[in-house]
Amino acid sequence: MMNFEVTPGMRRLGASVLGMEAIVAGLVTPVAIRVAGVSPGLAVTVGIGLAVLCVVAAGLLKKPIGYVLGSVAQVLAICTGFVVSMMFFLGAIFAALWITAILVARRVEGATSR
């Protein structure tokens, strides 16, 4: 099994990405209702549900489960594109930021610990 060490830099960068993503996910709700014509119930479930998942994942980033939930949030953000098509693009951007945040923080903290 792979050893997944959580570093302070990973927590900071990951929480930043998830925090921004939570805001965007929350703002998808009115866009889905007004622009895309999605029913309010579906729009609230998708938009606010994703925002809550991002906040919960950010709160759990001291443990590896937070990174699992954060990764699930990235997949769901891309899938939100089925409700609001622009989210395919935004979800992909947030997924790229998520992956970059983890890799860069691990690399930088690994280099500074030498």
Side-chain angles (χ1 to χ4, degrees), residues 31-83:
V31 170
I33 294 168
R34 293 285 182 190
V35 177
V38 175
S39 71
L42 177 61
V44 168
T45 301
V46 170
I48 303 302
L50 180 58
V52 168
L53 177 61
C54 289
V55 170
V56 169
L60 292 173
L61 288 180
K62 287 187 177 184
K63 301 177 183 176
I65 189 69
Y67 295 89
V68 172
L69 290 177
S71 298
V72 168
Q74 304 318 307
V75 172
L76 293 177
I78 294 170
C79 291
T80 304
F82 291 110
V83 178

Side-chain angles (χ1 to χ4, degrees), residues 3 5-6 13 17 25 30 52 57 61 65 72 82 88 98 106:
N3 184 13
E5 181 183 343
V6 176
L13 288 174
V17 170
V52 168
L61 288 180
I65 189 69
V72 168
F82 291 110
F88 284 124
W98 175 251
R106 288 177 69 91

Side-chain angles (χ1 to χ4, degrees), residues 9-40:
M10 286 172 57
R11 285 196 307 267
R12 282 190 299 272
L13 288 174
S16 297
V17 170
L18 289 170
M20 290 183 295
E21 189 170 5
I23 293 168
V24 169
L27 292 173
V28 163
T29 303
V31 170
I33 294 168
R34 293 285 182 190
V35 177
V38 175
S39 71

